[in-house]
Amino acid sequence: DDRNRTWNYDFVEFIKEEQIFATLMTPAGYGADDSSWNTFRNCEFNELLGFYGVCYWYTWQVSMLGLGPIWISKNEEVKQRTAKLLQDGAVFAFGLSEKEHGADLYSSDMSLTPVADGNYLANGQKYYIGNANEAGLVSTFGKNSSTNEFVFFVTESKHEKFNCIQNVVNSQSYVAEFTLNDYPITEADILSTGTEAWDSALNTVNICKFNLGLGAIGLCTHAFYEAINHAGNRRLFNHYVTDFPHIKQLLTDAYARLTAMKLFSYRASDYMRSASENDRRYLLYNPMVKMKVTTQGEEVVNILSDVIAAKGFEKNTYFDMATRDIRGLPKLEGTVHVNMALIVKFMANYFFFPDKFPEIGKVDGIENDEFLFKQGQTKGLSKIRFHDFNIAYNSVNLPNIEIFKSQINIFKEFFSSVDKLPAG
Ligand SMILES: Cc1cc2nc3c(=O)[nH]c(=O)nc-3n(C[C@H](O)[C@H](O)[C@H](O)COP(=O)(O)OP(=O)(O)OC[C@H]3O[C@@H](n4cnc5c(N)ncnc54)[C@H](O)[C@@H]3O)c2cc1C
């Protein structure tokens, strides 16, 4: 299927039979009794999908993105419709990006034009939209052409006025270009308008970009198994490949990075799950997972590539797909640099103005993560405070931590010498 670029219909059928998306992506109260939005549980599912193939992970990822503006919205009718569609096995899509505008969402050209009786006609093009070939609902972002206000509304990919033009990528995933040509929209299809629409776009990305790190962890885990399995069974010059000192070093390095990726991401999940209006620390840890964990994933695959060597190019390996697919993860949901720009906004408070917060333990229970759909306004990032990171580093006495602490101090010195601290 990977080589033939066949979309994962069999996977979607399995998801329906087992009610997986319905269970994992319906917040409590809208679906079956065991349905809830549980970031910890979703982390594990992300890993699992990344392990078996990024195309499966991508179908899940863009479904979650499509569901974000719906679950955030106040439109109860669409929410009930969505819960039913999830049970029927539908996938979803997030129609945010446009060909010419990339990260510049302010310039979105998709338009909703008011016509008689409070109805609208939607017109415009979207580009790079995953699942738009089959999505039950596509959360579509645009502007009201008469007020110039942002608006999020739902469309159906099988509607006659929804024109799915092409898959723009050479891959098993379907990343669509589509146009809406006088697509009729009623008030019942509108999810949010104005600032709420804008905030729900960013808040959805806040929830979902986290998945990229976990997808990378799953991918790297599989690549690691394949590399060590190959090297551990291969004898050269009367040695197992795993006996060569540099191979030991490479595998240790890859393993340490992969472990750090997991530790950081699962700890960030605790903060996602404990977030509230008064504790928005997740807004820093989340882009770190997206940006740093995925780029470390690239590094892990790079390192392992020197271990598995020629075998990793063979057509029947997972590794062949991993080397190609890992590169996509840092690019989705805001590029590395867009996330760095976001992280910079938190640095002054993080390093210089710590605040007191209650200790947050491991959050791996069955709670429904309600706050994620009530994140509210997206502004005020530079006012977010953090606990003192020294609490963690001072709690252990290890040589590497001591080196790290001295590096932090040098970094802080450098930072203090900058004329103006970055502000949000
Ligand atoms: C495989 C794939 C699947 C996708 N799926 C979806 C989807 O389902 N739905 C959807 O809506 N979108 C989707 N996208 C689009 C994705 O979110 C965009 O790639 C992303 O928004 C960035 O746009 P761009 O890649 O065109 O880069 P551009 O925005 O054109 O950026 C170009 C360069 O400029 C830099 N840059 C841009 N703005 C800034 C800034 N403010 N500060 C610093 N640097 C900046 C970037 O870091 C980058 O290096 C997908 C993309 C891909 C590749």
Side-chain angles (χ1 to χ4, degrees), residues 50 109 224 299 325 347 355:
D109 284 328
F224 188 91
E299 187 62 26
D325 292 339
M347 284 172 72
D355 202 353

Side-chain angles (χ1 to χ4, degrees), residues 97-104 107 109 125 127-128:
S97 297
E98 295 184 3
K99 187 174 184 179
E100 306 303 337
H101 303 306
D104 180 9
S107 303
D109 284 328
Q125 180 219 42
Y127 207 78
Y128 300 128

Side-chain angles (χ1 to χ4, degrees), residues 58 62 65 94-97 99 101-104 127-130 169 175 331-338 341:
Y58 183 71
V62 285
L65 281 161
F94 186 56
L96 186 66
S97 297
K99 187 174 184 179
H101 303 306
D104 180 9
Y127 207 78
Y128 300 128
I129 310 304
V169 297
V175 184
K331 274 104 195 146
L332 304 176
E333 278 54 274
T335 56
V336 167
H337 294 90
V338 165

